[in-house]
mmCIF file of all heavy atoms in Angstrom:
data_model
loop_
_atom_site.group_PDB
_atom_site.id
_atom_site.type_symbol
_atom_site.label_atom_id
_atom_site.label_comp_id
_atom_site.label_asym_id
_atom_site.label_seq_id
_atom_site.Cartn_x
_atom_site.Cartn_y
_atom_site.Cartn_z
ATOM 1 N N GLY G 260 -10.526 -12.260 -10.666
ATOM 2 C CA GLY G 260 -9.819 -11.161 -11.284
ATOM 3 C C GLY G 260 -10.329 -9.883 -10.647
ATOM 4 O O GLY G 260 -11.382 -9.876 -9.995
ATOM 5 N N THR G 261 -9.644 -8.799 -10.821
ATOM 6 C CA THR G 261 -10.038 -7.551 -10.163
ATOM 7 C C THR G 261 -10.752 -6.588 -11.102
ATOM 8 O O THR G 261 -11.146 -5.494 -10.678
ATOM 9 C CB THR G 261 -8.802 -6.824 -9.590
ATOM 10 O OG1 THR G 261 -7.885 -6.527 -10.667
ATOM 11 C CG2 THR G 261 -8.098 -7.692 -8.564
ATOM 12 N N GLY G 262 -10.944 -6.971 -12.361
ATOM 13 C CA GLY G 262 -11.409 -6.024 -13.351
ATOM 14 C C GLY G 262 -12.882 -5.677 -13.350
ATOM 15 O O GLY G 262 -13.273 -4.660 -13.886
ATOM 16 N N LEU G 263 -13.747 -6.509 -12.744
ATOM 17 C CA LEU G 263 -15.184 -6.269 -12.841
ATOM 18 C C LEU G 263 -15.874 -6.110 -11.489
ATOM 19 O O LEU G 263 -16.979 -5.571 -11.423
ATOM 20 C CB LEU G 263 -15.849 -7.418 -13.614
ATOM 21 C CG LEU G 263 -15.379 -7.614 -15.064
ATOM 22 C CD1 LEU G 263 -16.061 -8.832 -15.677
ATOM 23 C CD2 LEU G 263 -15.630 -6.376 -15.908
ATOM 24 N N SER G 264 -15.264 -6.591 -10.432
ATOM 25 C CA SER G 264 -15.880 -6.555 -9.101
ATOM 26 C C SER G 264 -15.682 -5.189 -8.445
ATOM 27 O O SER G 264 -14.559 -4.678 -8.372
ATOM 28 C CB SER G 264 -15.270 -7.634 -8.199
ATOM 29 O OG SER G 264 -15.504 -8.923 -8.726
ATOM 30 N N VAL G 265 -16.766 -4.608 -7.939
ATOM 31 C CA VAL G 265 -16.701 -3.245 -7.408
ATOM 32 C C VAL G 265 -15.738 -3.101 -6.242
ATOM 33 O O VAL G 265 -15.038 -2.087 -6.132
ATOM 34 C CB VAL G 265 -18.104 -2.742 -6.991
ATOM 35 C CG1 VAL G 265 -18.990 -2.531 -8.199
ATOM 36 C CG2 VAL G 265 -18.759 -3.678 -5.981
ATOM 37 N N ASP G 266 -15.690 -4.102 -5.361
ATOM 38 C CA ASP G 266 -14.802 -3.992 -4.209
ATOM 39 C C ASP G 266 -13.340 -4.126 -4.617
ATOM 40 O O ASP G 266 -12.487 -3.336 -4.213
ATOM 41 C CB ASP G 266 -15.173 -5.011 -3.134
ATOM 42 C CG ASP G 266 -15.056 -6.454 -3.602
ATOM 43 O OD1 ASP G 266 -15.287 -6.736 -4.800
ATOM 44 O OD2 ASP G 266 -14.741 -7.335 -2.759
ATOM 45 N N LEU G 267 -13.045 -5.126 -5.464
ATOM 46 C CA LEU G 267 -11.659 -5.351 -5.853
ATOM 47 C C LEU G 267 -11.123 -4.221 -6.731
ATOM 48 O O LEU G 267 -9.958 -3.842 -6.615
ATOM 49 C CB LEU G 267 -11.532 -6.697 -6.581
ATOM 50 C CG LEU G 267 -11.981 -7.935 -5.797
ATOM 51 C CD1 LEU G 267 -11.680 -9.205 -6.588
ATOM 52 C CD2 LEU G 267 -11.314 -7.987 -4.419
ATOM 53 N N GLU G 268 -11.968 -3.696 -7.591
ATOM 54 C CA GLU G 268 -11.542 -2.544 -8.399
ATOM 55 C C GLU G 268 -11.164 -1.371 -7.493
ATOM 56 O O GLU G 268 -10.175 -0.676 -7.737
ATOM 57 C CB GLU G 268 -12.653 -2.122 -9.365
ATOM 58 C CG GLU G 268 -12.769 -2.990 -10.598
ATOM 59 C CD GLU G 268 -13.508 -2.290 -11.735
ATOM 60 O OE1 GLU G 268 -13.602 -1.041 -11.709
ATOM 61 O OE2 GLU G 268 -13.965 -2.984 -12.647
ATOM 62 N N TYR G 269 -11.960 -1.168 -6.461
ATOM 63 C CA TYR G 269 -11.701 -0.055 -5.544
ATOM 64 C C TYR G 269 -10.424 -0.293 -4.753
ATOM 65 O O TYR G 269 -9.568 0.608 -4.644
ATOM 66 C CB TYR G 269 -12.886 0.112 -4.598
ATOM 67 C CG TYR G 269 -12.775 1.297 -3.666
ATOM 68 C CD1 TYR G 269 -12.602 2.581 -4.167
ATOM 69 C CD2 TYR G 269 -12.854 1.134 -2.287
ATOM 70 C CE1 TYR G 269 -12.510 3.688 -3.324
ATOM 71 C CE2 TYR G 269 -12.772 2.222 -1.430
ATOM 72 C CZ TYR G 269 -12.597 3.498 -1.953
ATOM 73 O OH TYR G 269 -12.501 4.592 -1.110
ATOM 74 N N PHE G 270 -10.267 -1.492 -4.222
ATOM 75 C CA PHE G 270 -9.072 -1.802 -3.435
ATOM 76 C C PHE G 270 -7.815 -1.683 -4.296
ATOM 77 O O PHE G 270 -6.781 -1.187 -3.840
ATOM 78 C CB PHE G 270 -9.173 -3.210 -2.850
ATOM 79 C CG PHE G 270 -10.320 -3.410 -1.896
ATOM 80 C CD1 PHE G 270 -10.856 -4.673 -1.693
ATOM 81 C CD2 PHE G 270 -10.867 -2.343 -1.200
ATOM 82 C CE1 PHE G 270 -11.915 -4.863 -0.820
ATOM 83 C CE2 PHE G 270 -11.930 -2.518 -0.318
ATOM 84 C CZ PHE G 270 -12.450 -3.798 -0.134
ATOM 85 N N LYS G 271 -7.897 -2.142 -5.526
ATOM 86 C CA LYS G 271 -6.743 -2.048 -6.424
ATOM 87 C C LYS G 271 -6.404 -0.589 -6.705
ATOM 88 O O LYS G 271 -5.231 -0.209 -6.760
ATOM 89 C CB LYS G 271 -7.034 -2.792 -7.727
ATOM 90 C CG LYS G 271 -5.823 -2.948 -8.628
ATOM 91 C CD LYS G 271 -6.132 -3.859 -9.804
ATOM 92 C CE LYS G 271 -4.892 -4.094 -10.666
ATOM 93 N NZ LYS G 271 -5.177 -5.040 -11.790
ATOM 94 N N ALA G 272 -7.437 0.239 -6.876
ATOM 95 C CA ALA G 272 -7.210 1.670 -7.112
ATOM 96 C C ALA G 272 -6.541 2.340 -5.917
ATOM 97 O O ALA G 272 -5.813 3.328 -6.069
ATOM 98 C CB ALA G 272 -8.525 2.368 -7.428
ATOM 99 N N LEU G 273 -6.758 1.790 -4.731
ATOM 100 C CA LEU G 273 -6.133 2.321 -3.524
ATOM 101 C C LEU G 273 -4.710 1.805 -3.342
ATOM 102 O O LEU G 273 -4.029 2.189 -2.388
ATOM 103 C CB LEU G 273 -6.973 1.969 -2.293
ATOM 104 C CG LEU G 273 -8.341 2.667 -2.194
ATOM 105 C CD1 LEU G 273 -9.114 2.177 -0.978
ATOM 106 C CD2 LEU G 273 -8.185 4.185 -2.160
#
Side-chain angles (χ1 to χ4, degrees):
T261 60
L263 299 177
S264 298
V265 291
D266 61 328
L267 301 185
E268 281 200 19
Y269 184 57
F270 298 155
K271 190 172 184 177
L273 292 177

